[in-house]
Amino acid sequence: MQVRLASTAGFCFGVEKAVNSVIEALESSQETIYLLGSVIHNDQMIEHLKAKGARCIDSVEEAVGPASIVIRAHGDTPEVYDAINAKYLTCIDATCPYVKRIHNLVKTKANEGYRIFIAGDANHPEVIGINGWASNNADIFMTAYDTQTMTGGDEKCCIVAQTTITRENWDEIVKVLESKFSNLEKFDTICNATAQRLNEASCIAQESDMVIVVGGRDSSNTQKLYEACSSHCDRTYLIETAAELDRIKPIKHIKIGITAGASTPKWLIEEVIEKVKFLNTDENEIDFKEAFESSLTQLHPGDVVKGKIISFNGNEFFVDVGYKCDGIIPLNEYTDDPFFKSEDAPGEGEEIEVYVVKVNDGEGNVLLSKKKVEAVNSINELEDAFEDKRTIPVRAHEVTNGGLLAYYKGARVFIPASQLGLKYIRDLSDFIGNELNVRIIEFNMQKRRIIGSQRILLEENRDKSATNLWSTIEPGMKITGTVKSFADFGAFIDLGGVDGLIHLSELSWSKIKHPSELLKIGDKVEVSILDFDREKKRISLKYKKDSDNPWIDAAAKFKVGDIVKGIVTRLVPFGAFIEIDKGIDGLVHISQITGKRISKPEEILHIGDEVIAKVIEMNIESRKINLSIREADVKKEDADNLPTGINSGSETQ
Ligand code: F3S
């Protein structure tokens, strides 16, 4: 005979927690301990607790104080808590944390105006309790069929599940509701302990000749276990106690599977195992005790194990680590990444490596951490990057005292303000959220210091560009640079690690007084190399384009004898410069200003004056045009119609 005991047989952690609370109260309190309703669905366990002094009541009114009342693992309605308080009784709240979470969820959503749906059995105490936290206004569906008559809409609504319903049933109910309600939020609150127990029982039943399900006949999860096993193995028996094994005949050489409901105490299962020996007609004795102990998965703090994601509620991940109860990774133990979004969370069934922080976090859950697994890996990577002087990407998160806090795969890297740019950057807030490439310049785990520098990379790039530029530079070469600063005599251009100067006269063909008339700091400009000195590290640049040279067209535009209109731009002792076209100045010698004798041009002309002049001499190659105001004999009405810089033709003379 072979016997296989399900590792999930017996108390789930919620029931175990509730039973332990009762036993602890019975052993430590002088008060009467009342059990309100069935604390667990197992008569034998109830009798056991009664024998220790517990008293069962169906309503708070029956309790006589001073006394304590135990709220069962299924939880209860807020009215029950109020009634306990009103009678000044002590409340021992043994509600399973999984159920408590549903109460809180439903209460919050109901307060936010959501319509509440519950997938579950309306008559089950757990569902009655959940509905109480929704002010008894929830719509409850046992099956998808129950949703058929619902009229849909776009109101805000959410659905939660009774912890013990099957996932198939949940999926069907949700599917119908989703097709009717456009704003439905789903909270899969099915307890994985139940699903695991059912799955394991089904697997065992498929491989067994006989299955014994131990549990209360009024326990819904025991009933479901029995149904699941029966569908795979005809010889499935549901028994409440070992005594019921008497009706089963001894059989040789068979495989027997044993499982038990969530409310079945361990001692009852052990009694059944002992009794199964009498079914054994084989000669070899079986160590059933060992079979029981070894069927349980062992976990220890510090273990790194693989698990599968069950669900994520926005704050916690529930993970199946093959233990008798679920593991929980609080979000702050999942990642330090402040940019983490729910959409990035791993999906249901995805495998994940986790670190066991505590086997029992006080609420019966296994406390897990993904960060602790990753932190070790990320820190190792950062140390390697430090040693190899490798560039790594980090994401800037917040401005702290003196610098930026950034993250590399959840590991913190500090970047001092002085290590961010080539120049000191006062306002670091623009970096927040950006990915930066840095080099780790200090790695000291004892002091918990990991320091990154972006500046060092910028400096290297700058030096590399400078070397490259000096090796390729030649007169006439075109290059793009960035306007870095201005001086009265020109603009300095950053050519990538080397600065060059555009003198004012090389900025424009027109006369300008300051480079800011043409450029802005930070502008990208294309310049050409005029001259350079490698030793003195000086480069002269030209910004104005040859193609824009106004003298190119001057020969076609002007000829000797033309009458032109212009503006006085400069006065010198020997005459006045007149701009007759954009970038083209002609000279009126002092002797050509007027027929009268004058000692200086200012006696007749002023800067900005508009004048009419005659072209008397031209030398395009040496960029010289001589003008005469004295010889420009234009009638007043003709002069008014003469546009600046456009010659009137010699026939107007
Ligand atoms: Fe709690 Fe799940 Fe048990 S909800 S009571 S751990 S079956």
Side-chain angles (χ1 to χ4, degrees):
M1 176 193 286
Q2 283 180 26
V3 174
R4 184 170 165 200
L5 176 66
S7 64
T8 48
F11 282 174
C12 62
F13 89 88
V15 170
E16 188 163 13
K17 181 173 179 286
V19 170
N20 288 344
S21 305
V22 177
I23 292 173
E24 201 181 300
L26 287 168
E27 287 173 354
S28 62
S29 174
Q30 301 302 313
E31 293 180 350
T32 307
I33 306 295
Y34 288 105
L35 309 182
L36 184 57
S38 295
V39 168
I40 60 169
H41 284 141
N42 187 280
D43 291 345
Q44 291 69 33
M45 192 65 218
I46 295 288
E47 288 308 316
H48 178 75
L49 295 174
K50 276 165 72 176
K52 281 179 160 280
R55 294 180 59 185
C56 293
I57 52 174
D58 291 323
S59 73
V60 179
E61 284 65 42
E62 294 172 46
V64 180
S68 297
I69 293 193
V70 179
I71 303 260
R72 58 192 152 195
H74 290 317
D76 226 316
T77 61
E79 289 75 27
V80 169
Y81 289 84
D82 291 344
I84 293 171
N85 285 338
K87 287 194 81 171
Y88 300 104
L89 300 169
T90 305
C91 177
I92 299 174
D93 190 352
T95 307
C96 170
Y98 287 176
V99 179
K100 198 86 190 157
R101 196 177 294 131
I102 306 176
H103 291 174
N104 293 337
L105 181 63
V106 158
K107 185 178 164 196
T108 306
K109 288 294 179 187
N111 285 342
E112 288 172 3
Y114 279 69
R115 183 173 174 183
I116 308 293
F117 300 141
I118 305 172
D121 179 355
N123 296 317
H124 192 282
E126 180 191 321
V127 176
I128 293 170
I130 296 169
N131 192 16
W133 293 92
S135 305
N136 297 312
N137 284 329
D139 295 287
I140 304 168
F141 314 106
M142 182 118 99
T143 65
Y145 180 78
D146 299 336
T147 62
Q148 302 287 331
T149 53
M150 294 290 291
T151 311
D154 60 359
E155 65 204 289
K156 287 192 300 183
C157 44
C158 73
I159 181 164
V160 296
Q162 182 183 344
T163 54
T164 49
I165 69 163
T166 64
R167 190 147 271 116
E168 294 73 32
N169 194 13
W170 162 259
D171 288 342
E172 283 168 14
I173 292 171
V174 166
K175 195 172 163 196
V176 181
L177 289 178
E178 270 184 328
S179 67
K180 295 185 177 216
F181 293 92
S182 54
N183 276 322
L184 178 70
E185 283 184 35
K186 300 158 285 174
F187 297 97
D188 177 352
T189 49
I190 297 172
C191 172
N192 197 45
T194 307
Q196 273 182 322
R197 189 190 307 272
L198 276 169
N199 284 345
E200 192 188 18
S202 296
C203 292
I204 289 176
Q206 284 170 47
E207 294 165 6
S208 302
D209 302 306
M210 178 194 288
V211 178
I212 296 166
V213 179
V214 192
R217 288 197 168 79
D218 61 345
S219 154
S220 88
N221 79 81
T222 306
Q223 276 295 339
K224 281 178 188 140
L225 272 181
Y226 174 72
E227 286 160 19
C229 293
S230 300
S231 68
H232 297 293
C233 178
D234 290 342
R235 289 160 73 182
T236 297
Y237 300 89
L238 194 166
I239 60 169
E240 289 198 344
T241 65
E244 292 181 51
L245 283 172
D246 291 342
R247 61 189 162 93
I248 302 171
K249 283 188 191 151
I251 308 165
K252 266 189 179 183
H253 307 303
I254 65 162
K255 292 180 189 167
I256 299 179
I258 300 176
T259 186
S263 307
T264 311
K266 185 177 170 184
W267 52 264
L268 244 175
I269 301 170
E270 285 176 335
E271 275 179 17
V272 170
I273 289 172
E274 277 301 306
K275 191 93 188 229
V276 164
K277 286 178 184 178
F278 294 104
L279 297 177
N280 177 25
T281 56
D282 291 356
E283 286 172 9
N284 295 333
E285 191 64 27
I286 298 167
D287 187 345
F288 291 100
K289 191 92 176 162
E290 195 182 305
F292 183 81
E293 296 299 343
S294 66
S295 66
L296 300 175
T297 303
Q298 299 293 315
L299 281 184
H300 307 97
D303 285 353
V304 173
V305 294
K306 287 210 165 77
K308 279 196 176 146
I309 299 287
I310 300 165
S311 61
F312 175 55
N313 65 9
N315 289 318
E316 294 163 319
F317 288 88
F318 296 89
V319 184
D320 176 7
V321 285
Y323 193 52
K324 60 183 173 181
C325 52
D326 293 341
I328 288 187
I329 314 175
L331 190 55
N332 64 356
E333 281 299 331
Y334 181 82
T335 180
D336 263 342
D337 183 353
F339 306 100
F340 176 80
K341 295 193 214 84
S342 295
E343 306 90 84
D344 302 333
E348 185 188 325
E350 240 176 83
E351 199 169 78
I352 180 171
E353 203 169 33
V354 288
Y355 177 98
V356 178
V357 181
K358 279 185 191 165
V359 176
N360 187 336
D361 66 355
E363 290 196 331
N365 305 309
V366 183
L367 184 62
L368 304 171
S369 171
K370 173 172 164 278
K371 249 171 45 182
K372 286 194 166 53
V373 176
E374 282 184 352
V376 176
N377 296 340
S378 306
I379 300 265
N380 286 345
E381 284 179 36
L382 286 170
E383 188 172 17
D384 287 349
F386 169 65
E387 279 166 9
D388 301 347
K389 296 190 171 28
R390 198 158 19 92
T391 301
I392 52 145
V394 296
R395 182 76 74 93
H397 172 48
E398 66 177 278
V399 178
T400 61
N401 225 357
L404 268 184
L405 206 55
Y407 284 85
Y408 172 73
K409 295 185 186 172
R412 278 153 56 132
V413 175
F414 178 64
I415 310 171
S418 60
Q419 294 297 329
L420 269 163
L422 291 168
K423 284 195 301 188
Y424 184 77
I425 302 169
R426 193 172 295 280
D427 182 9
L428 307 184
S429 56
D430 284 350
F431 287 96
I432 304 299
N434 290 354
E435 190 171 284
L436 310 173
N437 285 325
V438 296
R439 164 126 1 115
I440 302 300
I441 54 172
E442 186 179 338
F443 184 93
N444 187 330
M445 277 324 284
Q446 266 103 24
K447 291 187 187 168
R448 304 178 73 78
R449 276 165 73 89
I450 304 176
I451 309 243
S453 170
Q454 182 178 238
R455 193 182 82 184
I456 205 166
L457 299 174
L458 296 174
E459 283 173 347
E460 282 177 7
N461 280 345
R462 183 191 59 189
D463 294 348
K464 215 183 280 175
S465 309
T467 308
N468 190 36
L469 178 67
W470 285 118
S471 65
T472 55
I473 193 166
E474 56 184 49
M477 186 173 99
K478 287 199 170 23
I479 186 165
T480 300
T482 308
V483 179
K484 189 175 170 184
S485 61
F486 294 144
D488 284 344
F489 51 85
F492 288 97
I493 308 297
D494 178 2
L495 301 173
V498 188
D499 289 350
L501 171 68
I502 314 174
H503 193 271
L504 219 46
S505 61
E506 297 300 337
L507 270 167
S508 168
W509 292 102
S510 311
K511 288 268 180 308
I512 57 169
K513 288 184 182 147
H514 196 267
S516 59
E517 290 173 34
L518 266 187
L519 303 173
K520 285 202 303 287
I521 303 288
D523 278 355
K524 291 258 181 273
V525 288
E526 189 185 69
V527 291
S528 52
I529 308 288
L530 271 183
D531 197 7
F532 58 89
D533 184 331
R534 277 201 179 86
E535 279 181 14
K536 291 184 181 164
K537 303 278 184 230
R538 280 190 191 150
I539 302 177
S540 301
L541 303 169
K542 180 167 139 184
Y543 178 65
K544 61 187 185 185
K545 307 266 179 306
D546 288 343
S547 55
D548 296 338
N549 184 348
W551 288 94
I552 294 172
D553 297 332
K557 271 188 170 176
F558 304 104
K559 60 181 182 296
V560 173
D562 280 356
I563 300 296
V564 295
K565 188 156 72 173
I567 304 288
V568 178
T569 57
R570 209 149 41 102
L571 296 172
V572 289
F574 54 86
F577 285 95
I578 314 293
E579 187 180 56
I580 58 170
D581 200 0
K582 204 167 165 43
I584 298 194
D585 284 359
L587 172 68
V588 182
H589 190 268
I590 191 165
S591 61
Q592 293 297 325
I593 292 176
T594 174
K596 296 183 219 160
R597 184 175 174 78
I598 55 172
S599 57
K600 51 184 180 180
E602 287 89 335
E603 289 175 28
I604 302 288
L605 298 174
H606 304 94
I607 290 177
D609 283 355
E610 191 176 87
V611 294
I612 308 298
K614 181 177 175 182
V615 179
I616 55 174
E617 196 179 344
M618 279 181 68
N619 186 338
I620 295 299
E621 273 177 26
S622 58
R623 295 179 188 171
K624 278 185 184 160
I625 295 182
N626 289 332
L627 304 168
S628 170
I629 296 173
R630 203 178 69 181
E631 288 186 27
D633 184 14
V634 180
K635 287 188 202 127
K636 174 76 175 78
E637 58 272 22
D638 291 342
D640 288 344
N641 294 331
L642 200 64
T644 303
I646 304 295
N647 74 76
S648 66
S650 52
E651 68 276 7
T652 58
Q653 287 178 67

